[in-house]
PDB file of all heavy atoms in Angstrom:
ATOM      1  N   GLY F 395     107.039 113.932  88.416  1.00  0.00           N
ATOM      2  CA  GLY F 395     105.888 114.829  88.329  1.00  0.00           C
ATOM      3  C   GLY F 395     104.581 114.173  88.731  1.00  0.00           C
ATOM      4  O   GLY F 395     103.645 114.839  89.185  1.00  0.00           O
ATOM      5  N   THR F 396     104.494 112.865  88.597  1.00  0.00           N
ATOM      6  CA  THR F 396     103.279 112.124  88.933  1.00  0.00           C
ATOM      7  C   THR F 396     103.175 111.854  90.428  1.00  0.00           C
ATOM      8  O   THR F 396     102.074 111.853  90.990  1.00  0.00           O
ATOM      9  CB  THR F 396     103.245 110.784  88.158  1.00  0.00           C
ATOM     10  OG1 THR F 396     103.257 111.065  86.758  1.00  0.00           O
ATOM     11  CG2 THR F 396     102.014 109.962  88.503  1.00  0.00           C
ATOM     12  N   LEU F 397     104.297 111.615  91.079  1.00  0.00           N
ATOM     13  CA  LEU F 397     104.280 111.190  92.481  1.00  0.00           C
ATOM     14  C   LEU F 397     103.484 112.101  93.414  1.00  0.00           C
ATOM     15  O   LEU F 397     102.702 111.601  94.228  1.00  0.00           O
ATOM     16  CB  LEU F 397     105.711 111.010  92.990  1.00  0.00           C
ATOM     17  CG  LEU F 397     106.455 109.824  92.384  1.00  0.00           C
ATOM     18  CD1 LEU F 397     107.914 109.830  92.810  1.00  0.00           C
ATOM     19  CD2 LEU F 397     105.780 108.519  92.751  1.00  0.00           C
ATOM     20  N   PRO F 398     103.634 113.417  93.334  1.00  0.00           N
ATOM     21  CA  PRO F 398     102.872 114.272  94.264  1.00  0.00           C
ATOM     22  C   PRO F 398     101.358 114.198  94.073  1.00  0.00           C
ATOM     23  O   PRO F 398     100.607 114.596  94.962  1.00  0.00           O
ATOM     24  CB  PRO F 398     103.394 115.684  93.961  1.00  0.00           C
ATOM     25  CG  PRO F 398     104.718 115.480  93.314  1.00  0.00           C
ATOM     26  CD  PRO F 398     104.595 114.193  92.553  1.00  0.00           C
ATOM     27  N   ARG F 399     100.896 113.694  92.946  1.00  0.00           N
ATOM     28  CA  ARG F 399      99.461 113.614  92.667  1.00  0.00           C
ATOM     29  C   ARG F 399      98.838 112.294  93.114  1.00  0.00           C
ATOM     30  O   ARG F 399      97.632 112.112  93.015  1.00  0.00           O
ATOM     31  CB  ARG F 399      99.214 113.829  91.180  1.00  0.00           C
ATOM     32  CG  ARG F 399      99.644 115.210  90.697  1.00  0.00           C
ATOM     33  CD  ARG F 399      99.148 115.535  89.302  1.00  0.00           C
ATOM     34  NE  ARG F 399      99.435 114.545  88.301  1.00  0.00           N
ATOM     35  CZ  ARG F 399     100.502 114.553  87.500  1.00  0.00           C
ATOM     36  NH1 ARG F 399     101.395 115.513  87.599  1.00  0.00           N
ATOM     37  NH2 ARG F 399     100.677 113.613  86.588  1.00  0.00           N
ATOM     38  N   LEU F 400      99.656 111.362  93.598  1.00  0.00           N
ATOM     39  CA  LEU F 400      99.151 110.059  94.023  1.00  0.00           C
ATOM     40  C   LEU F 400      98.652 110.128  95.464  1.00  0.00           C
ATOM     41  O   LEU F 400      99.062 110.980  96.243  1.00  0.00           O
ATOM     42  CB  LEU F 400     100.254 109.001  93.894  1.00  0.00           C
ATOM     43  CG  LEU F 400     100.779 108.759  92.480  1.00  0.00           C
ATOM     44  CD1 LEU F 400     101.932 107.773  92.504  1.00  0.00           C
ATOM     45  CD2 LEU F 400      99.677 108.276  91.547  1.00  0.00           C
ATOM     46  N   ASN F 401      97.764 109.209  95.812  1.00  0.00           N
ATOM     47  CA  ASN F 401      97.177 109.179  97.153  1.00  0.00           C
ATOM     48  C   ASN F 401      97.830 108.158  98.083  1.00  0.00           C
ATOM     49  O   ASN F 401      97.933 108.397  99.270  1.00  0.00           O
ATOM     50  CB  ASN F 401      95.673 108.887  97.065  1.00  0.00           C
ATOM     51  CG  ASN F 401      94.934 109.990  96.340  1.00  0.00           C
ATOM     52  OD1 ASN F 401      95.052 111.149  96.686  1.00  0.00           O
ATOM     53  ND2 ASN F 401      94.208 109.625  95.305  1.00  0.00           N
ATOM     54  N   SER F 402      98.206 107.013  97.551  1.00  0.00           N
ATOM     55  CA  SER F 402      98.777 105.946  98.372  1.00  0.00           C
ATOM     56  C   SER F 402     100.291 106.081  98.440  1.00  0.00           C
ATOM     57  O   SER F 402     100.922 106.512  97.473  1.00  0.00           O
ATOM     58  CB  SER F 402      98.421 104.575  97.793  1.00  0.00           C
ATOM     59  OG  SER F 402      97.028 104.398  97.767  1.00  0.00           O
ATOM     60  N   PRO F 403     100.885 105.684  99.573  1.00  0.00           N
ATOM     61  CA  PRO F 403     102.342 105.776  99.721  1.00  0.00           C
ATOM     62  C   PRO F 403     103.095 104.948  98.676  1.00  0.00           C
ATOM     63  O   PRO F 403     102.597 103.930  98.198  1.00  0.00           O
ATOM     64  CB  PRO F 403     102.594 105.214 101.124  1.00  0.00           C
ATOM     65  CG  PRO F 403     101.287 105.326 101.831  1.00  0.00           C
ATOM     66  CD  PRO F 403     100.242 105.167 100.780  1.00  0.00           C
ATOM     67  N   VAL F 404     104.304 105.409  98.372  1.00  0.00           N
ATOM     68  CA  VAL F 404     105.200 104.684  97.469  1.00  0.00           C
ATOM     69  C   VAL F 404     106.575 104.614  98.125  1.00  0.00           C
ATOM     70  O   VAL F 404     107.113 105.636  98.563  1.00  0.00           O
ATOM     71  CB  VAL F 404     105.333 105.366  96.083  1.00  0.00           C
ATOM     72  CG1 VAL F 404     106.219 104.528  95.161  1.00  0.00           C
ATOM     73  CG2 VAL F 404     103.970 105.599  95.450  1.00  0.00           C
ATOM     74  N   VAL F 405     107.123 103.412  98.183  1.00  0.00           N
ATOM     75  CA  VAL F 405     108.475 103.192  98.684  1.00  0.00           C
ATOM     76  C   VAL F 405     109.307 102.694  97.508  1.00  0.00           C
ATOM     77  O   VAL F 405     108.948 101.705  96.867  1.00  0.00           O
ATOM     78  CB  VAL F 405     108.499 102.166  99.835  1.00  0.00           C
ATOM     79  CG1 VAL F 405     109.917 101.928 100.327  1.00  0.00           C
ATOM     80  CG2 VAL F 405     107.585 102.608 100.978  1.00  0.00           C
ATOM     81  N   PHE F 406     110.382 103.406  97.218  1.00  0.00           N
ATOM     82  CA  PHE F 406     111.259 103.040  96.115  1.00  0.00           C
ATOM     83  C   PHE F 406     112.562 102.462  96.650  1.00  0.00           C
ATOM     84  O   PHE F 406     113.120 102.968  97.613  1.00  0.00           O
ATOM     85  CB  PHE F 406     111.635 104.270  95.274  1.00  0.00           C
ATOM     86  CG  PHE F 406     110.508 104.843  94.481  1.00  0.00           C
ATOM     87  CD1 PHE F 406     109.866 105.992  94.903  1.00  0.00           C
ATOM     88  CD2 PHE F 406     110.094 104.249  93.300  1.00  0.00           C
ATOM     89  CE1 PHE F 406     108.835 106.546  94.172  1.00  0.00           C
ATOM     90  CE2 PHE F 406     109.059 104.786  92.557  1.00  0.00           C
ATOM     91  CZ  PHE F 406     108.427 105.940  92.989  1.00  0.00           C
ATOM     92  N   VAL F 407     113.061 101.441  95.964  1.00  0.00           N
ATOM     93  CA  VAL F 407     114.412 100.929  96.183  1.00  0.00           C
ATOM     94  C   VAL F 407     115.236 101.348  94.988  1.00  0.00           C
ATOM     95  O   VAL F 407     114.787 101.271  93.839  1.00  0.00           O
ATOM     96  CB  VAL F 407     114.415  99.388  96.303  1.00  0.00           C
ATOM     97  CG1 VAL F 407     115.843  98.851  96.383  1.00  0.00           C
ATOM     98  CG2 VAL F 407     113.616  98.939  97.506  1.00  0.00           C
ATOM     99  N   THR F 408     116.442 101.820  95.246  1.00  0.00           N
ATOM    100  CA  THR F 408     117.365 102.161  94.174  1.00  0.00           C
ATOM    101  C   THR F 408     118.775 101.817  94.623  1.00  0.00           C
ATOM    102  O   THR F 408     119.036 101.679  95.817  1.00  0.00           O
ATOM    103  CB  THR F 408     117.246 103.647  93.778  1.00  0.00           C
ATOM    104  OG1 THR F 408     117.949 103.869  92.556  1.00  0.00           O
ATOM    105  CG2 THR F 408     117.770 104.571  94.854  1.00  0.00           C
ATOM    106  N   ASN F 409     119.657 101.655  93.676  1.00  0.00           N
ATOM    107  CA  ASN F 409     121.049 101.336  93.990  1.00  0.00           C
ATOM    108  C   ASN F 409     121.902 102.586  93.915  1.00  0.00           C
ATOM    109  O   ASN F 409     121.729 103.411  93.016  1.00  0.00           O
ATOM    110  CB  ASN F 409     121.607 100.308  92.993  1.00  0.00           C
ATOM    111  CG  ASN F 409     120.997  98.947  93.218  1.00  0.00           C
ATOM    112  OD1 ASN F 409     121.364  98.239  94.132  1.00  0.00           O
ATOM    113  ND2 ASN F 409     120.035  98.597  92.381  1.00  0.00           N
ATOM    114  N   GLU F 410     122.818 102.694  94.846  1.00  0.00           N
ATOM    115  CA  GLU F 410     123.835 103.745  94.779  1.00  0.00           C
ATOM    116  C   GLU F 410     125.021 103.137  94.038  1.00  0.00           C
ATOM    117  O   GLU F 410     125.707 102.272  94.568  1.00  0.00           O
ATOM    118  CB  GLU F 410     124.234 104.208  96.179  1.00  0.00           C
ATOM    119  CG  GLU F 410     125.319 105.253  96.170  1.00  0.00           C
ATOM    120  CD  GLU F 410     125.029 106.409  95.234  1.00  0.00           C
ATOM    121  OE1 GLU F 410     123.997 107.082  95.405  1.00  0.00           O
ATOM    122  OE2 GLU F 410     125.835 106.633  94.307  1.00  0.00           O
ATOM    123  N   VAL F 411     125.205 103.569  92.800  1.00  0.00           N
ATOM    124  CA  VAL F 411     126.264 102.976  91.971  1.00  0.00           C
ATOM    125  C   VAL F 411     127.452 103.910  91.773  1.00  0.00           C
ATOM    126  O   VAL F 411     128.409 103.550  91.095  1.00  0.00           O
ATOM    127  CB  VAL F 411     125.709 102.532  90.587  1.00  0.00           C
ATOM    128  CG1 VAL F 411     124.642 101.462  90.760  1.00  0.00           C
ATOM    129  CG2 VAL F 411     125.152 103.707  89.807  1.00  0.00           C
ATOM    130  N   GLY F 412     127.416 105.079  92.371  1.00  0.00           N
ATOM    131  CA  GLY F 412     128.458 106.066  92.125  1.00  0.00           C
ATOM    132  C   GLY F 412     129.554 106.148  93.168  1.00  0.00           C
ATOM    133  O   GLY F 412     130.335 107.086  93.148  1.00  0.00           O
ATOM    134  N   LEU F 413     129.641 105.190  94.070  1.00  0.00           N
ATOM    135  CA  LEU F 413     130.632 105.269  95.134  1.00  0.00           C
ATOM    136  C   LEU F 413     131.929 104.527  94.814  1.00  0.00           C
ATOM    137  O   LEU F 413     132.883 104.627  95.568  1.00  0.00           O
ATOM    138  CB  LEU F 413     130.055 104.717  96.443  1.00  0.00           C
ATOM    139  CG  LEU F 413     128.908 105.524  97.041  1.00  0.00           C
ATOM    140  CD1 LEU F 413     128.337 104.812  98.264  1.00  0.00           C
ATOM    141  CD2 LEU F 413     129.362 106.921  97.405  1.00  0.00           C
ATOM    142  N   GLY F 414     131.937 103.777  93.728  1.00  0.00           N
ATOM    143  CA  GLY F 414     133.118 102.989  93.383  1.00  0.00           C
ATOM    144  C   GLY F 414     134.007 103.695  92.385  1.00  0.00           C
ATOM    145  O   GLY F 414     133.901 104.902  92.158  1.00  0.00           O
ATOM    146  N   ILE F 415     134.863 102.917  91.761  1.00  0.00           N
ATOM    147  CA  ILE F 415     135.770 103.475  90.765  1.00  0.00           C
ATOM    148  C   ILE F 415     135.003 103.867  89.507  1.00  0.00           C
ATOM    149  O   ILE F 415     133.898 103.377  89.257  1.00  0.00           O
ATOM    150  CB  ILE F 415     136.889 102.473  90.409  1.00  0.00           C
ATOM    151  CG1 ILE F 415     136.290 101.200  89.808  1.00  0.00           C
ATOM    152  CG2 ILE F 415     137.743 102.142  91.624  1.00  0.00           C
ATOM    153  CD1 ILE F 415     137.317 100.238  89.251  1.00  0.00           C
ATOM    154  N   VAL F 416     135.582 104.726  88.715  1.00  0.00           N
ATOM    155  CA  VAL F 416     134.973 105.123  87.452  1.00  0.00           C
ATOM    156  C   VAL F 416     135.042 103.923  86.508  1.00  0.00           C
ATOM    157  O   VAL F 416     136.115 103.347  86.301  1.00  0.00           O
ATOM    158  CB  VAL F 416     135.706 106.338  86.838  1.00  0.00           C
ATOM    159  CG1 VAL F 416     135.141 106.666  85.475  1.00  0.00           C
ATOM    160  CG2 VAL F 416     135.604 107.538  87.775  1.00  0.00           C
ATOM    161  N   PRO F 417     133.894 103.500  85.959  1.00  0.00           N
ATOM    162  CA  PRO F 417     133.895 102.346  85.051  1.00  0.00           C
ATOM    163  C   PRO F 417     134.813 102.571  83.848  1.00  0.00           C
ATOM    164  O   PRO F 417     135.010 103.706  83.400  1.00  0.00           O
ATOM    165  CB  PRO F 417     132.437 102.240  84.608  1.00  0.00           C
ATOM    166  CG  PRO F 417     131.656 102.924  85.676  1.00  0.00           C
ATOM    167  CD  PRO F 417     132.544 104.026  86.181  1.00  0.00           C
ATOM    168  N   ASP F 418     135.304 101.470  83.307  1.00  0.00           N
ATOM    169  CA  ASP F 418     136.273 101.555  82.214  1.00  0.00           C
ATOM    170  C   ASP F 418     135.648 101.610  80.826  1.00  0.00           C
ATOM    171  O   ASP F 418     136.359 101.665  79.834  1.00  0.00           O
ATOM    172  CB  ASP F 418     137.260 100.391  82.285  1.00  0.00           C
ATOM    173  CG  ASP F 418     136.611  99.052  81.974  1.00  0.00           C
ATOM    174  OD1 ASP F 418     135.364  98.983  81.917  1.00  0.00           O
ATOM    175  OD2 ASP F 418     137.346  98.064  81.786  1.00  0.00           O
ATOM    176  N   ASN F 419     134.298 101.598  80.747  1.00  0.00           N
ATOM    177  CA  ASN F 419     133.691 101.649  79.415  1.00  0.00           C
ATOM    178  C   ASN F 419     132.544 102.665  79.400  1.00  0.00           C
ATOM    179  O   ASN F 419     131.951 102.976  80.434  1.00  0.00           O
ATOM    180  CB  ASN F 419     133.218 100.259  78.966  1.00  0.00           C
ATOM    181  CG  ASN F 419     132.084  99.721  79.815  1.00  0.00           C
ATOM    182  OD1 ASN F 419     130.935 100.121  79.632  1.00  0.00           O
ATOM    183  ND2 ASN F 419     132.401  98.833  80.754  1.00  0.00           N
TER     184      ASN F 419
END
Side-chain angles (χ1 to χ4, degrees):
T396 300
L397 291 173
R399 297 192 308 266
L400 298 176
N401 296 307
S402 299
V404 183
V405 179
F406 291 103
V407 174
T408 192
N409 289 283
E410 178 50 59
V411 298
L413 294 175
I415 61 172
V416 175
D418 69 348
N419 66 79

